[in-house]
């Protein structure tokens, strides 16, 4: 007769799980031992369970399939939380096995006692305690189905003694439903949507991550409506490429004419976006389409809320939408977009080829050029978000993932670990801040241990740069943001990872090429400008406030990478228009 731990492993195999990330220990041992004896299921030892949860999150994000992590009772559990929040906010299917103290000790303030079924409630759809052998395999299947079906985290809390017990129920067969149905909008909603689109003179489309898989449908709609298309950071990778209607990104890191296009149109159509910064929205004449009805209207009042998948809704409404002939609004916005990019392209990129310390933007633009067409970029929270948003060019095959909703530091390296294990043959690049890398530095050892050919590009500015900028914007002197220089290349080498430290811009290209071509793990330690721009050393508070605002504008609106080329080429679509020089 199988044990409960073995049953759990069998159910994971039936669900197609290939690996479990975690750190072994006491209450988890019977589960790990069952993995040891199971073909096709691997235990991936990480150095911190937090990284295991991030790795599972990345795997689930990229594949859409269930990914699993595990933590032993007490501290092993609590370490998981950060990565689970990240996965849950992103709505990706992750199952966490949280092993627990012996059943008879629960409630006695036993060694390492926590209450995992309370602890994980906020970062999961489903979090239940398995206290009897007879609850298996049913609860495992329910947990998996919640993660896949609702999109997010499930946590199964199992005391070690229960994992050891003999199973009382047969495991049986049963694969979870992993392909979700399509949310098709009601006919009446489609009709109302068509009426709104037809009666508005000008319409702007604003796209979030929900436009994934609907590129052609969005282009078809924009073509009929002569609409500019803007996007959020999460929408960028799905909609910016091959897009003759592109007018840029909204939000604090935004660029181009997106803000104006969304504010000046007679109607704003939000497509699959839960863009949280409502101060960037016009709060009028807005229609929203989303497959999750609970998101409708939560950022802005709506004239019409449509419940449906973006693709299915657009395919339903397109035959009812009349072709608009006036493209003057679109053309104005395309021109304005190109001008906006043209105006800032130089702002922070002067002398970049010779400037020491290295301008991070220069390095990011070379990375974009050299990276594979189907590379996966994992991006640390901090200034790396800015560099990725501006310089990494999406093409429909590349992926760019980060902690874009939970916004935690240190996500990039563990995300890269999960990405590389899910796609062993694909180029995976971690764009790491030195603060982020330092926070989960032990994961370099995970990369080395499993010989994962991850490329870690560290933007090493010896500073918590994003926070430094935030302080400046608030008129505060920067405090406790800068720290002594660390040679991450030396640390990586000591861990057995091929590494190079680059201090001069002339060495960037060769250094990156070398790392990207290296067959195993590689780290490029780019010593970048600690002041995203140079800040005078002694200035007063008021001067600081004024200077900081101006400075922030330069950093956050400067630098546009290949987007200027795209914007210029889109101008060629304007009939009879003179190109911007
Ligand atoms: C776990 C966590 N702690 C603190 C923060 C606040 N925070 C956001 S960005 C950042 C600095 C990141 O520094 P670094 O990784 O060096 O990147 P840089 O911005 O310098 O490029 C901090 C402290 C956070 N988002 N997450």
């Amino acid at each position: 007769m199988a044990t409960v731990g073995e049953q759990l492993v069998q159910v994971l195999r039936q669900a197609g799980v290939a690996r479990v990330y975690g750190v072994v220990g006491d209450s988890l041992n019977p589960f790990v031992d069952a993995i040891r004896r199971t073909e096709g299921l691997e235990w991936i030892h990480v150095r911190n369970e937090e990284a295991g949860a991030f790795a599972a999150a990345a795997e689930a994000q990229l594949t859409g399939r269930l990914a699993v992590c595990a933590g032993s009772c007490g501290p092993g559990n609590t370490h998981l939380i950060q990565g689970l929040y990240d996965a849950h906010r992103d709505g990706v299917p992750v199952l966490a096995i949280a092993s627990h103290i012996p059943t008879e000790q629960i409630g006695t303030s036993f060694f390492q006692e926590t209450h995992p079924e309370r602890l994980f409630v906020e970062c999961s759809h489903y979090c239940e305690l398995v206290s009897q052998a007879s609850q298996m395999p049913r609860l495992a299947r329910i947990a998996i189905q919640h993660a896949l079906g609702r999109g997010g985290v499930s946590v199964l809390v199992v005391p070690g003694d229960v994992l050891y017990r003999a199973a009382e129920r047969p495991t049986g067969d049963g694969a979870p439903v992993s392909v979700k149905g399509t949310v098709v909008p009601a006919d009446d909603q489609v009709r109302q949507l068509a009426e709104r689109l037809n009666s508005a003179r000008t319409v702007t489309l604003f796209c979030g991550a929900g436009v994934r898989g609907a590129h052609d449908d969005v282009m078809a709609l924009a073509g009929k409506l002569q609409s500019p298309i803007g996007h959020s950071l999460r929408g960028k990778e799905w909609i910016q490429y091959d897009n003759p209607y592109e007018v840029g990104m909204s939000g604090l890191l935004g660029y181009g004419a997106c803000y104006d296009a969304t504010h000046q149109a007679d109607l704003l159509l939000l497509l699959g976006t839960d863009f949280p910064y409502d101060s960037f929205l016009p709060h009028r004449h807005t229609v929203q389409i989303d497959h999750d009805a609970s998101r409708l209207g939560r950022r802005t009042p709506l004239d019409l809320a449509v419940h449906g998948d973006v693709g299915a809704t657009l395919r339903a409404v397109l035959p009812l939408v009349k072709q608009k002939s006036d493209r003057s609004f679109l053309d104005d916005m395309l021109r304005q977009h190109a001008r906006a990019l043209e105006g800032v392209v130089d702002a922070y990129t002067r002398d970049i080829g010779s400037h020491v310390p290295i301008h991070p933007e220069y390095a990011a633009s070379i990375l974009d050029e050299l990276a594979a067409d189907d590379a996966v970029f994992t991006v640390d929270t901090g200034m790396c978000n800015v560099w990725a948003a501006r310089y990494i060019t999406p093409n429909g095959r590349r992926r760019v993932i980060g902690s874009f909703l939970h916004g935690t530091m240190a996500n990039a390296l563990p995300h890269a670990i999960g990405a590389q294990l899910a796609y062993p043959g694909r180029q995976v690049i971690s764009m790491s801040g030195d603060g982020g890398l330092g926070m989960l530095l032990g994961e370099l050892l995970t990369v080395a241990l499993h010989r994962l050919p991850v490329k870690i590009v560290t933007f090493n500015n010896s500073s918590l740069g994003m926070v430094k900028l935030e302080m400046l914007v608030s008129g505060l002197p920067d405090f406790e943001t800068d720290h002594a220089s660390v040679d991450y290349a030396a640390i990586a080498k000591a861990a057995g990872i091929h590494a190079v430290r680059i201090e001069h811009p002339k060495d960037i290209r060769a250094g990156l090429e070398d790392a990207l071509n290296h067959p195993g793990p590689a780290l490029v330690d780019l010593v970048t400008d600690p002041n995203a721009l140079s800040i005078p050393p002694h200035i007063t508070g008021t001067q600081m406030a004024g200077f900081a605002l101006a400075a922030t504008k330069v950093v956050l609106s400067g630098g546009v990478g290949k987007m200027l080329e795209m914007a210029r080429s889109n101008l060629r679509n304007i009939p009879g228009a003179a190109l911007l020089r």
Side-chain angles (χ1 to χ4, degrees):
M1 183 55 116
T3 64
V4 169
E6 286 165 351
Q7 258 190 335
L8 177 54
V9 163
Q10 285 164 14
V11 173
L12 295 183
R13 283 301 296 135
Q14 288 172 358
V17 174
R19 60 192 68 85
V20 177
Y21 302 89
V23 178
V24 297
D26 45 58
S27 49
L28 202 53
N29 291 348
F31 174 62
V32 179
D33 185 59
I35 293 178
R36 177 180 67 77
R37 290 178 281 109
T38 303
E39 199 143 331
L41 190 61
E42 228 185 328
W43 178 258
I44 305 294
H45 169 52
V46 290
R47 298 292 164 147
N48 183 324
E49 294 84 351
E50 174 176 337
F54 276 128
E59 190 183 319
Q61 170 103 309
L62 293 167
T63 64
R65 294 194 299 269
L66 182 76
V68 182
C69 57
S72 59
C73 62
N77 275 210
T78 47
H79 262 186
L80 289 170
I81 284 186
Q82 189 79 277
L84 292 184
Y85 258 96
D86 187 59
H88 197 56
R89 290 295 312 266
D90 275 336
V92 298
V94 168
L95 171 68
I97 307 299
S99 68
H100 199 13
I101 59 167
T103 324
E104 67 172 18
Q105 300 293 353
I106 294 175
T108 68
S109 289
F110 192 62
F111 175 63
Q112 295 187 325
E113 180 164 3
T114 60
H115 293 90
E117 72 285 7
R118 292 185 213 156
L119 212 53
F120 296 109
V121 162
E122 212 183 303
C123 59
S124 65
H125 290 306
Y126 182 89
C127 179
E128 295 292 343
L129 172 69
V130 182
S131 54
Q132 304 196 36
S134 60
Q135 291 170 287
M136 280 292 216
R138 195 172 178 196
L139 290 201
R141 292 213 171 94
I142 295 175
I144 291 171
Q145 197 58 53
H146 267 77
L148 286 167
R150 297 188 60 187
V153 169
S154 282
V155 182
L156 215 48
V157 182
V158 201
D161 56 303
V162 176
L163 285 166
Y164 268 124
R165 278 185 216 161
E168 290 179 16
R169 307 253 186 242
T171 308
D173 299 320
V177 176
S178 54
V179 180
K180 283 200 198 168
T182 305
V183 184
V184 180
D187 290 345
D188 184 52
Q189 291 224 294
V190 174
R191 194 184 42 71
Q192 286 187 50
L193 175 60
E195 275 167 19
R196 301 256 171 197
L197 297 175
N198 288 333
S199 59
R201 196 181 60 83
T202 57
V203 182
T204 291
L205 312 183
F206 182 69
C207 301
V211 299
R212 178 180 187 170
H215 189 277
D216 290 354
D217 307 308
V218 177
M219 293 306 138
L221 184 68
K224 274 197 156 178
L225 297 172
Q226 310 283 15
S227 290
I229 299 179
H231 53 79
S232 65
L233 177 57
R234 294 178 77 230
K236 179 178 164 110
E237 63 173 334
W238 305 116
I239 209 68
Q240 193 203 28
Y241 66 97
D242 297 343
N243 181 346
Y245 312 98
E246 151 81 2
V247 293
M249 195 169 100
S250 194
L252 200 59
L253 314 182
Y255 51 80
C258 184
Y259 185 91
D260 288 321
T262 50
H263 282 70
Q264 290 174 22
D266 291 346
L267 183 76
L268 172 63
L269 181 58
L270 303 177
L271 295 171
T273 177
D274 192 30
F275 179 69
Y277 298 102
D278 48 22
S279 58
F280 288 87
L281 295 171
H283 297 281
R284 58 184 185 86
H285 308 321
T286 303
V287 170
Q288 184 177 2
I289 301 173
D290 205 291
H291 73 109
D292 179 350
S294 69
R295 289 183 191 150
L296 294 168
R298 82 168 163 192
R299 310 292 179 194
T300 176
L302 299 176
D303 291 355
L304 178 67
V306 181
H307 180 213
D309 285 347
V310 172
T313 307
L314 298 193
R315 284 191 294 279
V317 82
L318 270 165
L320 308 178
V321 175
K322 298 198 184 104
Q323 177 69 49
K324 292 193 195 300
S325 55
D326 180 1
R327 55 174 285 156
S328 56
F329 177 65
L330 169 63
D331 291 345
D332 282 352
M333 289 302 140
L334 290 176
R335 282 195 202 92
Q336 190 171 322
H337 181 58
R339 265 199 307 273
L341 299 187
E342 199 95 37
V344 295
V345 73
D346 257 0
Y348 179 49
T349 47
R350 262 175 240 121
D351 306 327
I352 45 169
S354 56
H355 191 278
V356 178
I358 291 167
H359 273 320
E361 293 169 305
Y362 182 54
S365 70
I366 297 178
L367 180 62
D368 181 51
E369 211 183 292
L370 298 178
D373 249 17
D374 66 343
V376 176
F377 295 86
T378 63
V379 184
D380 255 347
T381 298
M383 295 306 286
C384 282
N385 272 341
V386 184
W387 315 142
R390 297 287 165 76
Y391 289 94
I392 302 307
T393 313
N395 56 11
R397 294 178 300 287
R398 283 179 170 181
R399 293 296 317 267
V400 181
I401 63 170
S403 183
F404 297 150
L405 294 177
H406 185 47
T408 177
M409 284 170 72
N411 59 290
L413 178 57
H415 272 165
I417 290 170
Q420 193 74 81
L421 281 156
Y423 294 104
R426 208 160 155 182
Q427 187 179 74
V428 175
I429 300 171
S430 171
M431 292 176 70
S432 298
D434 57 312
L437 183 64
M439 201 173 257
L440 282 178
L441 189 61
E443 297 317 312
L444 285 179
L445 308 180
T446 303
V447 168
L449 174 70
H450 301 291
R451 301 309 298 163
L452 300 174
V454 165
K455 312 306 173 202
I456 305 151
V457 179
T458 307
F459 290 76
N460 184 357
N461 56 7
S462 300
S463 171
L464 302 171
M466 178 63 103
V467 178
K468 185 172 179 133
L469 203 62
E470 284 166 7
M471 289 177 173
L472 286 170
V473 181
S474 317
L476 303 169
D478 58 305
F479 178 64
E480 292 292 338
T481 54
D482 294 359
H483 35 258
S485 162
V486 174
D487 185 342
Y488 284 101
I491 292 176
K493 279 183 200 158
I497 293 175
H498 177 68
V500 56
R501 186 167 165 94
I502 298 179
E503 301 190 19
H504 200 284
K506 72 175 170 34
D507 301 323
I508 298 175
R509 182 174 293 273
L512 286 175
E513 265 169 356
D514 169 62
L516 294 177
N517 294 330
H518 184 75
L523 182 142
V524 180
D525 188 16
L526 293 168
V527 181
T528 55
D529 195 345
N531 301 311
L533 37 81
S534 88
I535 296 158
H538 303 292
I539 58 174
T540 64
T542 1
Q543 279 174 327
M544 176 69 89
F547 172 79
L549 272 180
T552 310
K553 273 195 184 142
V554 177
V555 175
L556 294 183
S557 63
V560 291
K562 285 189 191 152
M563 287 184 285
L564 182 60
E565 284 163 41
M566 288 185 221
R568 281 179 177 154
S569 77
N570 279 346
L571 288 188
R572 296 193 187 104
N573 297 328
I574 301 178
L579 295 184
L580 281 178
R581 303 272 164 232

